[in-house]
Amino acid sequence: MASVLSVRDLAVGYGKEPLLEEISFEVPRGEVFAILGGSGCGKSTLLRTLVGLQEPLAGRVHFRGIGGPDKAMTPPRFGVLFQSAALLGSWTLLQNVLLPLRKWTDLPLDAATVVALARLRLVGLDQAAHQLPAEVSGGMKKRAGIARALALDPPILFLDEPSAGLDPVTAAGLDELIVTLARTLGVTIVLVSHELPSILRTTDQCIMLDRAAGGIIARGAPRELAERSPDPRVQAFFHRTTLPPS
Amino acid sequence: MPSPGFTLAQIIADDGSPRLVLAGSLTLADGGALWQQLRRALAQQSIAVCDVSAVSRLDGGAAALLQALAVERGRAGAPLRWLGASGEVGRMLALYDCARSGSCAPVEPPASTLLGDVGDFAHGAWRTTQAILAFLGDLVVGVLAALRRPRTVHTGELGVLFERAGADGLPIVMLINFLVGAILGLQGAIQLHRFGGDQFLANLVGLSVVRELGPLMTAILVTGRSGAAYAAELGTMTVNEEVDALRTLGQDPQRFLVFPRVLTLLCVVPLLTVVGDLLGSVGGLFVAMTYLDQPMVVYLQSLQQAVSLGDVGTGLLKSFVFGGTIALVSCQRGLATRGGADGVGRATTSAVVVVLFALVVLDGVFTWVFSLLDW
């Protein structure tokens, strides 16, 4: 299947010091692609670079057929869910989802409200549409964040730790939603996570990053990596064990 | 404006009934046109079927609009059926079918009425007053406990707090009080000069500044600088659960956060007021020398005769109470913050508004009491 996201020889980091180098991968359309790795390995930094919030130190990110990281006054071509959901606190969930619709479509208010409510219904939050973020749980915030990211029907969704900090039932519901988005809507999903059950349930392909190695140490289907990778760091990650002393 | 990627036509079906036919690409980008055209066409109650078999692409936004219109028709008693919805189009329509999630009931925002809003405001004001008084009570109890065990009070921050509220605020306090003294002096000089009362300018400026304007202006400035900062800082700490973390570590937030701030402003506001009084009087002197050509010594002698130590004392007593009020209310508002960033904003606004209201009320009470006591 044709890839919609192509990353070539990317180097990311803060200042001039690279955290990760020579990052290259392709993400096929309609797949769930995970960026894995331990805490502090640069997953979120890589994600910020992919969505254009941070300049790469080297290399390039190419979105095939849907333009690059958006910096001009054109509608954003991808949706992003931040780790904390990043909803506007003084706006209701409905107003949060309406924000991109009012900005980037010619829909009259009643039609935009219909679409925003449909997005919230999709994530099971239509009955909480008029509540403020502070009045809903962490899982609901994450789901509302996904509804907002989905508002403009983006072909790619970037999700930063979508199920982190959620109870297993809520996390499973979110995983189901991610799979539905990919399989039914054909949305390509790039997610950053270190939640093993979620990764195994949702992800088609993944790359694993390692801070000490400064780049990718494994790539493939998560289940295959868990069962067959000879790399002790990959095995330690998937089997929740500590690394043997080097 | 580019033409939409879809077409909408009305035909007569084989059974003689009118039918809508949608064809082409239905996307959110054409959502406005789709919504308006389809709504206009569906105004005819007799249309019960819409053929979507020629739709090549349907995105989520467009599917949501189609299904919303179908629900609207259903509620009006004239249901609409999608004909030929198969493959991706069928899946998308099914995904955005509200019946799938069990409820197609409209989601209404909570009702708001003028009377309700007035009631909410009054209730909120009463709750705020209660909370501040309860906080004051807690503070008094805490002070008594702290006097018994002084080491439980966190004093490590005091130096920084004194610097921020005092030294850092000194320039603006000096400037504003000088300007207030000068403006008051100029207004007074114009009137006094008409009646040959130039020599009373020092009385006017000196007494006004020392008894009223110096303490009040200084307190207002401290409210804007330190009070707002305390409310925002404690509010952010509250929403970030730092205050809860302190409690779990066995630290009383009052002793750890509130006492040092109250102590700081109890000391700093009177000190700043003394400086403010001096600069306000200098402002009057500046006007006396430049506008009235009054020698400096004449103004200073008049000032010495007009302003007694008792006058300075009343101003300082006020500023002491003002300082405590600013710290108390700001900290209480900060610790009562709920929500996120907007909650911090609301707490800060509330702190400034409540403190300013309290300052004016207290100033009135002081003036009345001092007049009764003939101070």
Side-chain angles (χ1 to χ4, degrees), chain B residues 263-297:
Chain B
L263 190 60
T264 299
L265 292 197
L266 283 175
C267 299
V268 162
V269 176
L271 290 174
L272 287 176
T273 301
V274 170
V275 177
D277 288 350
L278 279 172
L279 266 291
S281 302
V282 171
L285 171 66
F286 175 74
V287 171
M289 291 172 67
T290 54
Y291 186 79
L292 298 177
D293 289 328
Q294 206 174 65
M296 185 194 288
V297 67

PDB file of all heavy atoms in Angstrom, chain B residues 263-297:
ATOM      1  N   LEU B 263       2.837  37.493  56.199  1.00  0.00           N
ATOM      2  CA  LEU B 263       3.894  38.169  56.969  1.00  0.00           C
ATOM      3  C   LEU B 263       4.628  39.186  56.086  1.00  0.00           C
ATOM      4  O   LEU B 263       4.915  40.313  56.513  1.00  0.00           O
ATOM      5  CB  LEU B 263       4.877  37.104  57.487  1.00  0.00           C
ATOM      6  CG  LEU B 263       5.909  37.568  58.509  1.00  0.00           C
ATOM      7  CD1 LEU B 263       5.225  38.122  59.747  1.00  0.00           C
ATOM      8  CD2 LEU B 263       6.828  36.414  58.898  1.00  0.00           C
ATOM      9  N   THR B 264       4.910  38.780  54.868  1.00  0.00           N
ATOM     10  CA  THR B 264       5.623  39.662  53.942  1.00  0.00           C
ATOM     11  C   THR B 264       4.846  40.958  53.729  1.00  0.00           C
ATOM     12  O   THR B 264       5.391  42.055  53.873  1.00  0.00           O
ATOM     13  CB  THR B 264       5.814  38.952  52.580  1.00  0.00           C
ATOM     14  OG1 THR B 264       6.585  37.787  52.793  1.00  0.00           O
ATOM     15  CG2 THR B 264       6.519  39.848  51.589  1.00  0.00           C
ATOM     16  N   LEU B 265       3.568  40.830  53.379  1.00  0.00           N
ATOM     17  CA  LEU B 265       2.818  42.049  53.061  1.00  0.00           C
ATOM     18  C   LEU B 265       2.509  42.864  54.311  1.00  0.00           C
ATOM     19  O   LEU B 265       2.410  44.097  54.235  1.00  0.00           O
ATOM     20  CB  LEU B 265       1.535  41.710  52.302  1.00  0.00           C
ATOM     21  CG  LEU B 265       1.741  41.168  50.880  1.00  0.00           C
ATOM     22  CD1 LEU B 265       0.454  41.266  50.080  1.00  0.00           C
ATOM     23  CD2 LEU B 265       2.850  41.887  50.127  1.00  0.00           C
ATOM     24  N   LEU B 266       2.373  42.200  55.478  1.00  0.00           N
ATOM     25  CA  LEU B 266       2.172  42.963  56.720  1.00  0.00           C
ATOM     26  C   LEU B 266       3.373  43.885  56.974  1.00  0.00           C
ATOM     27  O   LEU B 266       3.222  44.982  57.512  1.00  0.00           O
ATOM     28  CB  LEU B 266       1.993  42.017  57.912  1.00  0.00           C
ATOM     29  CG  LEU B 266       0.621  41.338  58.059  1.00  0.00           C
ATOM     30  CD1 LEU B 266       0.636  40.349  59.218  1.00  0.00           C
ATOM     31  CD2 LEU B 266      -0.480  42.362  58.264  1.00  0.00           C
ATOM     32  N   CYS B 267       4.560  43.432  56.599  1.00  0.00           N
ATOM     33  CA  CYS B 267       5.772  44.251  56.818  1.00  0.00           C
ATOM     34  C   CYS B 267       6.018  45.208  55.655  1.00  0.00           C
ATOM     35  O   CYS B 267       6.384  46.362  55.846  1.00  0.00           O
ATOM     36  CB  CYS B 267       6.999  43.348  56.974  1.00  0.00           C
ATOM     37  SG  CYS B 267       6.890  42.240  58.365  1.00  0.00           S
ATOM     38  N   VAL B 268       5.840  44.691  54.436  1.00  0.00           N
ATOM     39  CA  VAL B 268       6.277  45.448  53.264  1.00  0.00           C
ATOM     40  C   VAL B 268       5.339  46.622  52.947  1.00  0.00           C
ATOM     41  O   VAL B 268       5.804  47.707  52.597  1.00  0.00           O
ATOM     42  CB  VAL B 268       6.397  44.489  52.044  1.00  0.00           C
ATOM     43  CG1 VAL B 268       6.417  45.256  50.746  1.00  0.00           C
ATOM     44  CG2 VAL B 268       7.655  43.648  52.180  1.00  0.00           C
ATOM     45  N   VAL B 269       4.027  46.411  53.079  1.00  0.00           N
ATOM     46  CA  VAL B 269       3.088  47.476  52.675  1.00  0.00           C
ATOM     47  C   VAL B 269       3.288  48.742  53.530  1.00  0.00           C
ATOM     48  O   VAL B 269       3.367  49.844  52.966  1.00  0.00           O
ATOM     49  CB  VAL B 269       1.631  46.968  52.691  1.00  0.00           C
ATOM     50  CG1 VAL B 269       0.654  48.093  52.369  1.00  0.00           C
ATOM     51  CG2 VAL B 269       1.464  45.851  51.671  1.00  0.00           C
ATOM     52  N   PRO B 270       3.418  48.643  54.871  1.00  0.00           N
ATOM     53  CA  PRO B 270       3.688  49.872  55.633  1.00  0.00           C
ATOM     54  C   PRO B 270       5.004  50.543  55.216  1.00  0.00           C
ATOM     55  O   PRO B 270       5.075  51.774  55.133  1.00  0.00           O
ATOM     56  CB  PRO B 270       3.752  49.394  57.085  1.00  0.00           C
ATOM     57  CG  PRO B 270       2.925  48.158  57.105  1.00  0.00           C
ATOM     58  CD  PRO B 270       3.162  47.516  55.777  1.00  0.00           C
ATOM     59  N   LEU B 271       6.032  49.720  54.962  1.00  0.00           N
ATOM     60  CA  LEU B 271       7.323  50.310  54.551  1.00  0.00           C
ATOM     61  C   LEU B 271       7.187  51.046  53.219  1.00  0.00           C
ATOM     62  O   LEU B 271       7.681  52.163  53.060  1.00  0.00           O
ATOM     63  CB  LEU B 271       8.395  49.223  54.441  1.00  0.00           C
ATOM     64  CG  LEU B 271       8.856  48.602  55.762  1.00  0.00           C
ATOM     65  CD1 LEU B 271       9.801  47.429  55.508  1.00  0.00           C
ATOM     66  CD2 LEU B 271       9.539  49.652  56.620  1.00  0.00           C
ATOM     67  N   LEU B 272       6.496  50.391  52.266  1.00  0.00           N
ATOM     68  CA  LEU B 272       6.290  51.044  50.972  1.00  0.00           C
ATOM     69  C   LEU B 272       5.436  52.299  51.141  1.00  0.00           C
ATOM     70  O   LEU B 272       5.632  53.297  50.441  1.00  0.00           O
ATOM     71  CB  LEU B 272       5.599  50.082  49.998  1.00  0.00           C
ATOM     72  CG  LEU B 272       6.446  48.941  49.440  1.00  0.00           C
ATOM     73  CD1 LEU B 272       5.594  48.024  48.570  1.00  0.00           C
ATOM     74  CD2 LEU B 272       7.631  49.472  48.638  1.00  0.00           C
ATOM     75  N   THR B 273       4.500  52.251  52.102  1.00  0.00           N
ATOM     76  CA  THR B 273       3.629  53.410  52.322  1.00  0.00           C
ATOM     77  C   THR B 273       4.434  54.608  52.832  1.00  0.00           C
ATOM     78  O   THR B 273       4.191  55.750  52.422  1.00  0.00           O
ATOM     79  CB  THR B 273       2.508  53.043  53.324  1.00  0.00           C
ATOM     80  OG1 THR B 273       1.778  51.952  52.773  1.00  0.00           O
ATOM     81  CG2 THR B 273       1.559  54.200  53.561  1.00  0.00           C
ATOM     82  N   VAL B 274       5.390  54.335  53.720  1.00  0.00           N
ATOM     83  CA  VAL B 274       6.239  55.429  54.222  1.00  0.00           C
ATOM     84  C   VAL B 274       6.956  56.094  53.049  1.00  0.00           C
ATOM     85  O   VAL B 274       6.969  57.334  52.914  1.00  0.00           O
ATOM     86  CB  VAL B 274       7.265  54.886  55.248  1.00  0.00           C
ATOM     87  CG1 VAL B 274       8.299  55.951  55.595  1.00  0.00           C
ATOM     88  CG2 VAL B 274       6.543  54.435  56.510  1.00  0.00           C
ATOM     89  N   VAL B 275       7.519  55.252  52.171  1.00  0.00           N
ATOM     90  CA  VAL B 275       8.223  55.798  50.999  1.00  0.00           C
ATOM     91  C   VAL B 275       7.225  56.538  50.102  1.00  0.00           C
ATOM     92  O   VAL B 275       7.513  57.633  49.592  1.00  0.00           O
ATOM     93  CB  VAL B 275       8.910  54.649  50.207  1.00  0.00           C
ATOM     94  CG1 VAL B 275       9.586  55.190  48.963  1.00  0.00           C
ATOM     95  CG2 VAL B 275       9.917  53.940  51.091  1.00  0.00           C
ATOM     96  N   GLY B 276       6.038  55.936  49.929  1.00  0.00           N
ATOM     97  CA  GLY B 276       5.010  56.574  49.102  1.00  0.00           C
ATOM     98  C   GLY B 276       4.593  57.920  49.658  1.00  0.00           C
ATOM     99  O   GLY B 276       4.416  58.887  48.909  1.00  0.00           O
ATOM    100  N   ASP B 277       4.439  57.997  51.010  1.00  0.00           N
ATOM    101  CA  ASP B 277       4.063  59.266  51.645  1.00  0.00           C
ATOM    102  C   ASP B 277       5.118  60.335  51.352  1.00  0.00           C
ATOM    103  O   ASP B 277       4.792  61.485  51.015  1.00  0.00           O
ATOM    104  CB  ASP B 277       3.965  59.083  53.166  1.00  0.00           C
ATOM    105  CG  ASP B 277       2.739  58.265  53.566  1.00  0.00           C
ATOM    106  OD1 ASP B 277       1.895  58.023  52.676  1.00  0.00           O
ATOM    107  OD2 ASP B 277       2.646  57.872  54.739  1.00  0.00           O
ATOM    108  N   LEU B 278       6.379  59.940  51.488  1.00  0.00           N
ATOM    109  CA  LEU B 278       7.470  60.893  51.241  1.00  0.00           C
ATOM    110  C   LEU B 278       7.439  61.406  49.812  1.00  0.00           C
ATOM    111  O   LEU B 278       7.526  62.611  49.560  1.00  0.00           O
ATOM    112  CB  LEU B 278       8.824  60.210  51.511  1.00  0.00           C
ATOM    113  CG  LEU B 278       9.252  60.120  52.969  1.00  0.00           C
ATOM    114  CD1 LEU B 278      10.506  59.263  53.113  1.00  0.00           C
ATOM    115  CD2 LEU B 278       9.528  61.523  53.499  1.00  0.00           C
ATOM    116  N   LEU B 279       7.283  60.440  48.870  1.00  0.00           N
ATOM    117  CA  LEU B 279       7.323  60.836  47.462  1.00  0.00           C
ATOM    118  C   LEU B 279       6.087  61.649  47.077  1.00  0.00           C
ATOM    119  O   LEU B 279       6.161  62.563  46.248  1.00  0.00           O
ATOM    120  CB  LEU B 279       7.442  59.595  46.573  1.00  0.00           C
ATOM    121  CG  LEU B 279       8.863  59.193  46.158  1.00  0.00           C
ATOM    122  CD1 LEU B 279       9.423  60.237  45.187  1.00  0.00           C
ATOM    123  CD2 LEU B 279       9.816  59.077  47.333  1.00  0.00           C
ATOM    124  N   GLY B 280       4.943  61.345  47.702  1.00  0.00           N
ATOM    125  CA  GLY B 280       3.732  62.127  47.442  1.00  0.00           C
ATOM    126  C   GLY B 280       3.928  63.559  47.894  1.00  0.00           C
ATOM    127  O   GLY B 280       3.557  64.515  47.192  1.00  0.00           O
ATOM    128  N   SER B 281       4.542  63.716  49.064  1.00  0.00           N
ATOM    129  CA  SER B 281       4.802  65.061  49.579  1.00  0.00           C
ATOM    130  C   SER B 281       5.799  65.795  48.693  1.00  0.00           C
ATOM    131  O   SER B 281       5.680  67.006  48.467  1.00  0.00           O
ATOM    132  CB  SER B 281       5.351  64.980  51.009  1.00  0.00           C
ATOM    133  OG  SER B 281       4.418  64.292  51.811  1.00  0.00           O
ATOM    134  N   VAL B 282       6.780  65.046  48.184  1.00  0.00           N
ATOM    135  CA  VAL B 282       7.759  65.650  47.260  1.00  0.00           C
ATOM    136  C   VAL B 282       7.052  66.116  45.979  1.00  0.00           C
ATOM    137  O   VAL B 282       7.397  67.155  45.416  1.00  0.00           O
ATOM    138  CB  VAL B 282       8.901  64.650  46.944  1.00  0.00           C
ATOM    139  CG1 VAL B 282       9.798  65.166  45.830  1.00  0.00           C
ATOM    140  CG2 VAL B 282       9.733  64.408  48.194  1.00  0.00           C
ATOM    141  N   GLY B 283       6.056  65.341  45.541  1.00  0.00           N
ATOM    142  CA  GLY B 283       5.277  65.754  44.366  1.00  0.00           C
ATOM    143  C   GLY B 283       4.610  67.091  44.602  1.00  0.00           C
ATOM    144  O   GLY B 283       4.602  67.968  43.734  1.00  0.00           O
ATOM    145  N   GLY B 284       4.037  67.259  45.829  1.00  0.00           N
ATOM    146  CA  GLY B 284       3.420  68.535  46.185  1.00  0.00           C
ATOM    147  C   GLY B 284       4.454  69.648  46.222  1.00  0.00           C
ATOM    148  O   GLY B 284       4.195  70.773  45.755  1.00  0.00           O
ATOM    149  N   LEU B 285       5.642  69.336  46.766  1.00  0.00           N
ATOM    150  CA  LEU B 285       6.725  70.309  46.836  1.00  0.00           C
ATOM    151  C   LEU B 285       7.123  70.779  45.439  1.00  0.00           C
ATOM    152  O   LEU B 285       7.337  71.966  45.193  1.00  0.00           O
ATOM    153  CB  LEU B 285       7.926  69.676  47.551  1.00  0.00           C
ATOM    154  CG  LEU B 285       9.229  70.470  47.541  1.00  0.00           C
ATOM    155  CD1 LEU B 285       9.077  71.761  48.333  1.00  0.00           C
ATOM    156  CD2 LEU B 285      10.381  69.641  48.122  1.00  0.00           C
ATOM    157  N   PHE B 286       7.203  69.815  44.514  1.00  0.00           N
ATOM    158  CA  PHE B 286       7.580  70.114  43.132  1.00  0.00           C
ATOM    159  C   PHE B 286       6.601  71.137  42.528  1.00  0.00           C
ATOM    160  O   PHE B 286       7.008  72.119  41.904  1.00  0.00           O
ATOM    161  CB  PHE B 286       7.587  68.815  42.317  1.00  0.00           C
ATOM    162  CG  PHE B 286       7.832  68.994  40.861  1.00  0.00           C
ATOM    163  CD1 PHE B 286       9.102  69.299  40.378  1.00  0.00           C
ATOM    164  CD2 PHE B 286       6.786  68.883  39.947  1.00  0.00           C
ATOM    165  CE1 PHE B 286       9.318  69.465  39.034  1.00  0.00           C
ATOM    166  CE2 PHE B 286       7.004  69.050  38.591  1.00  0.00           C
ATOM    167  CZ  PHE B 286       8.280  69.346  38.127  1.00  0.00           C
ATOM    168  N   VAL B 287       5.298  70.942  42.786  1.00  0.00           N
ATOM    169  CA  VAL B 287       4.289  71.856  42.251  1.00  0.00           C
ATOM    170  C   VAL B 287       4.398  73.214  42.941  1.00  0.00           C
ATOM    171  O   VAL B 287       4.311  74.263  42.297  1.00  0.00           O
ATOM    172  CB  VAL B 287       2.877  71.263  42.422  1.00  0.00           C
ATOM    173  CG1 VAL B 287       1.803  72.294  42.075  1.00  0.00           C
ATOM    174  CG2 VAL B 287       2.720  70.043  41.531  1.00  0.00           C
ATOM    175  N   ALA B 288       4.609  73.184  44.270  1.00  0.00           N
ATOM    176  CA  ALA B 288       4.721  74.434  45.025  1.00  0.00           C
ATOM    177  C   ALA B 288       5.872  75.285  44.487  1.00  0.00           C
ATOM    178  O   ALA B 288       5.744  76.507  44.336  1.00  0.00           O
ATOM    179  CB  ALA B 288       4.930  74.119  46.507  1.00  0.00           C
ATOM    180  N   MET B 289       6.998  74.622  44.194  1.00  0.00           N
ATOM    181  CA  MET B 289       8.174  75.354  43.728  1.00  0.00           C
ATOM    182  C   MET B 289       8.024  75.818  42.287  1.00  0.00           C
ATOM    183  O   MET B 289       8.462  76.906  41.927  1.00  0.00           O
ATOM    184  CB  MET B 289       9.435  74.495  43.873  1.00  0.00           C
ATOM    185  CG  MET B 289       9.826  74.274  45.332  1.00  0.00           C
ATOM    186  SD  MET B 289      11.167  73.094  45.520  1.00  0.00           S
ATOM    187  CE  MET B 289      12.511  73.971  44.781  1.00  0.00           C
ATOM    188  N   THR B 290       7.415  74.990  41.440  1.00  0.00           N
ATOM    189  CA  THR B 290       7.366  75.337  40.020  1.00  0.00           C
ATOM    190  C   THR B 290       6.127  76.159  39.658  1.00  0.00           C
ATOM    191  O   THR B 290       6.206  77.081  38.858  1.00  0.00           O
ATOM    192  CB  THR B 290       7.378  74.061  39.157  1.00  0.00           C
ATOM    193  OG1 THR B 290       6.313  73.208  39.586  1.00  0.00           O
ATOM    194  CG2 THR B 290       8.699  73.331  39.238  1.00  0.00           C
ATOM    195  N   TYR B 291       4.983  75.844  40.248  1.00  0.00           N
ATOM    196  CA  TYR B 291       3.744  76.531  39.873  1.00  0.00           C
ATOM    197  C   TYR B 291       3.486  77.766  40.728  1.00  0.00           C
ATOM    198  O   TYR B 291       3.050  78.796  40.242  1.00  0.00           O
ATOM    199  CB  TYR B 291       2.571  75.549  40.000  1.00  0.00           C
ATOM    200  CG  TYR B 291       1.263  76.115  39.490  1.00  0.00           C
ATOM    201  CD1 TYR B 291       0.980  76.159  38.124  1.00  0.00           C
ATOM    202  CD2 TYR B 291       0.309  76.609  40.386  1.00  0.00           C
ATOM    203  CE1 TYR B 291      -0.228  76.688  37.674  1.00  0.00           C
ATOM    204  CE2 TYR B 291      -0.892  77.133  39.931  1.00  0.00           C
ATOM    205  CZ  TYR B 291      -1.153  77.160  38.578  1.00  0.00           C
ATOM    206  OH  TYR B 291      -2.339  77.678  38.130  1.00  0.00           O
ATOM    207  N   LEU B 292       3.789  77.631  42.039  1.00  0.00           N
ATOM    208  CA  LEU B 292       3.499  78.752  42.944  1.00  0.00           C
ATOM    209  C   LEU B 292       4.745  79.561  43.289  1.00  0.00           C
ATOM    210  O   LEU B 292       4.638  80.537  44.044  1.00  0.00           O
ATOM    211  CB  LEU B 292       2.867  78.234  44.254  1.00  0.00           C
ATOM    212  CG  LEU B 292       1.528  77.502  44.139  1.00  0.00           C
ATOM    213  CD1 LEU B 292       1.078  76.987  45.500  1.00  0.00           C
ATOM    214  CD2 LEU B 292       0.464  78.448  43.582  1.00  0.00           C
ATOM    215  N   ASP B 293       5.894  79.144  42.779  1.00  0.00           N
ATOM    216  CA  ASP B 293       7.174  79.806  43.094  1.00  0.00           C
ATOM    217  C   ASP B 293       7.395  79.906  44.603  1.00  0.00           C
ATOM    218  O   ASP B 293       7.911  80.893  45.117  1.00  0.00           O
ATOM    219  CB  ASP B 293       7.232  81.216  42.472  1.00  0.00           C
ATOM    220  CG  ASP B 293       7.361  81.139  40.967  1.00  0.00           C
ATOM    221  OD1 ASP B 293       7.981  80.163  40.480  1.00  0.00           O
ATOM    222  OD2 ASP B 293       6.835  82.023  40.276  1.00  0.00           O
ATOM    223  N   GLN B 294       6.958  78.898  45.310  1.00  0.00           N
ATOM    224  CA  GLN B 294       7.089  78.895  46.767  1.00  0.00           C
ATOM    225  C   GLN B 294       8.480  78.367  47.130  1.00  0.00           C
ATOM    226  O   GLN B 294       8.889  77.338  46.576  1.00  0.00           O
ATOM    227  CB  GLN B 294       6.026  77.968  47.352  1.00  0.00           C
ATOM    228  CG  GLN B 294       5.610  78.299  48.757  1.00  0.00           C
ATOM    229  CD  GLN B 294       4.443  77.420  49.192  1.00  0.00           C
ATOM    230  OE1 GLN B 294       4.594  76.221  49.303  1.00  0.00           O
ATOM    231  NE2 GLN B 294       3.300  78.032  49.423  1.00  0.00           N
ATOM    232  N   PRO B 295       9.183  79.026  48.049  1.00  0.00           N
ATOM    233  CA  PRO B 295      10.486  78.472  48.451  1.00  0.00           C
ATOM    234  C   PRO B 295      10.311  77.111  49.148  1.00  0.00           C
ATOM    235  O   PRO B 295       9.300  76.883  49.815  1.00  0.00           O
ATOM    236  CB  PRO B 295      11.034  79.501  49.442  1.00  0.00           C
ATOM    237  CG  PRO B 295      10.213  80.711  49.243  1.00  0.00           C
ATOM    238  CD  PRO B 295       8.899  80.289  48.724  1.00  0.00           C
ATOM    239  N   MET B 296      11.310  76.269  48.987  1.00  0.00           N
ATOM    240  CA  MET B 296      11.224  74.913  49.549  1.00  0.00           C
ATOM    241  C   MET B 296      10.996  74.943  51.061  1.00  0.00           C
ATOM    242  O   MET B 296      10.180  74.189  51.600  1.00  0.00           O
ATOM    243  CB  MET B 296      12.512  74.153  49.240  1.00  0.00           C
ATOM    244  CG  MET B 296      12.477  72.699  49.677  1.00  0.00           C
ATOM    245  SD  MET B 296      14.087  71.922  49.678  1.00  0.00           S
ATOM    246  CE  MET B 296      14.412  71.744  47.974  1.00  0.00           C
ATOM    247  N   VAL B 297      11.709  75.853  51.716  1.00  0.00           N
ATOM    248  CA  VAL B 297      11.646  75.884  53.174  1.00  0.00           C
ATOM    249  C   VAL B 297      10.235  76.241  53.669  1.00  0.00           C
ATOM    250  O   VAL B 297       9.758  75.722  54.685  1.00  0.00           O
ATOM    251  CB  VAL B 297      12.737  76.841  53.744  1.00  0.00           C
ATOM    252  CG1 VAL B 297      12.438  78.288  53.378  1.00  0.00           C
ATOM    253  CG2 VAL B 297      12.892  76.684  55.232  1.00  0.00           C
TER     254      VAL B 297
END
